[in-house]
Amino acid sequence: MAYIFVTTIHNLLRWALLIVAIASLVRAYTGWFGKKNWTALDMNLAMLFTSFFDLQILAGLILIFFFSPSTKVGLANPGMIMSDALSRFYFIEHMFMMLVAVVVAHIGFTKAKKAVSSFYKFRTLAIWFTISLLIILVSIPWPFRDPGAPWLRLGSFILR
């Protein structure tokens, strides 16, 4: 039951994270190229992106280390993780790339906050958040990938 609940939270946070990332990037690029002023909305969207990402990472770590049925098997036999594509993806590739992406997002947000002008705030955010989003998009187990996860998971309801 807890596994399904945390998996649902992790899935829903994925969509919230992607929506906020895109909104933040649209604002960053239009601000950068449109020479707009940095506003509280820009700051809040950037903060929301990094906050949702932190929650997503937390949910993923809780999922894999406390509730995933595969974790006990994998930790008891680490060689199996590297030899099985599905295990390797979730335990190594997905987790590592998402940790890299969250670090990139936080670096970008910190640098943008410290930038002296709106132009540099937007440019910094656009560059770093784009890199982070690209890493995220490559690392998500999309349904069309192997291994793939469902598009949407709401408890026992799964949309593939």
Side-chain angles (χ1 to χ4, degrees):
M1 185 64 158
Y3 175 74
I4 292 172
F5 176 75
V6 178
T7 304
T8 300
I9 296 299
H10 192 60
N11 183 272
L12 292 174
L13 278 171
R14 167 181 56 172
W15 293 109
L17 176 66
L18 290 173
I19 290 166
V20 172
I22 291 167
S24 185
L25 280 170
V26 167
R27 294 282 304 185
Y29 279 103
T30 56
W32 179 14
F33 294 115
K35 297 180 171 67
K36 297 182 188 259
N37 288 323
W38 180 264
T39 67
L41 176 61
D42 302 308
M43 180 68 157
N44 290 337
L45 280 172
M47 191 177 344
L48 212 57
F49 173 58
T50 56
S51 297
F52 277 175
F53 209 165
D54 292 342
L55 288 172
Q56 179 70 333
I57 292 288
L58 180 62
L61 291 172
I62 289 170
L63 183 64
I64 203 156
F65 286 115
F66 294 105
F67 298 115
S68 173
S70 308
T71 300
K72 287 181 185 172
V73 174
L75 292 177
N77 186 4
M80 187 265 324
I81 291 173
M82 295 309 288
S83 64
D84 177 57
L86 182 66
S87 297
R88 186 178 58 246
F89 176 78
Y90 282 107
F91 281 98
I92 308 293
E93 298 163 10
H94 176 68
M95 191 178 342
F96 177 74
M97 295 301 287
M98 290 302 184
L99 289 172
V100 169
V102 77
V103 168
V104 168
H106 275 283
I107 290 170
F109 183 49
T110 301
K111 286 180 166 288
K113 286 191 302 187
K114 292 179 180 179
V116 294
S117 71
S118 291
F119 174 83
Y120 290 113
K121 287 179 186 293
F122 284 125
R123 185 182 76 171
T124 301
L125 212 60
I127 292 168
W128 287 87
F129 277 18
T130 297
I131 294 167
S132 180
L133 181 60
L134 290 174
I135 295 169
I136 292 168
L137 292 174
V138 167
S139 305
I140 290 176
W142 296 105
F144 50 81
R145 287 189 59 180
D146 186 30
W151 287 108
L152 185 64
R153 180 186 306 265
L154 296 171
S156 60
F157 172 77
I158 296 174
L159 177 64
R160 292 197 183 272

